[in-house]
Amino acid sequence: MKRYTALWRDTWWLWAGLVSLGVALAILVEWVFLIALPISLFAFFYFGLMRYDDEGNQVGDRFNP
């Protein structure tokens, strides 16, 4: 759980912007833009899993000798 807390701490503004944009476009243009919400949720968990370890530290380049 620390990995997702660290991701939120580092990129809260990005996720808030994606959700806001998705909701705004759904209200102003077409309801189909609400699909951005589950996509953003999936992306959040994916990046948390790939970019942070169990302790919440950002994982560096693993292939750098």
Side-chain angles (χ1 to χ4, degrees):
M1 193 57 153
K2 290 182 183 178
R3 66 178 55 182
Y4 301 114
T5 305
L7 177 63
W8 182 256
R9 181 191 65 230
D10 293 342
T11 60
W12 65 268
W13 52 271
L14 174 67
W15 303 109
L18 283 172
V19 169
S20 299
L21 184 63
V23 170
L25 287 174
I27 292 171
L28 297 173
V29 179
E30 187 71 34
W31 62 270
V32 75
F33 285 100
L34 287 176
I35 196 69
L37 299 178
I39 291 172
S40 298
L41 185 64
F42 174 78
F44 178 80
F45 285 112
Y46 175 78
F47 282 117
L49 187 64
M50 293 294 123
R51 294 289 183 179
Y52 292 87
D53 62 7
D54 292 336
E55 297 299 317
N57 300 317
Q58 193 169 14
V59 176
D61 187 11
R62 297 179 187 185
F63 302 108
N64 192 5

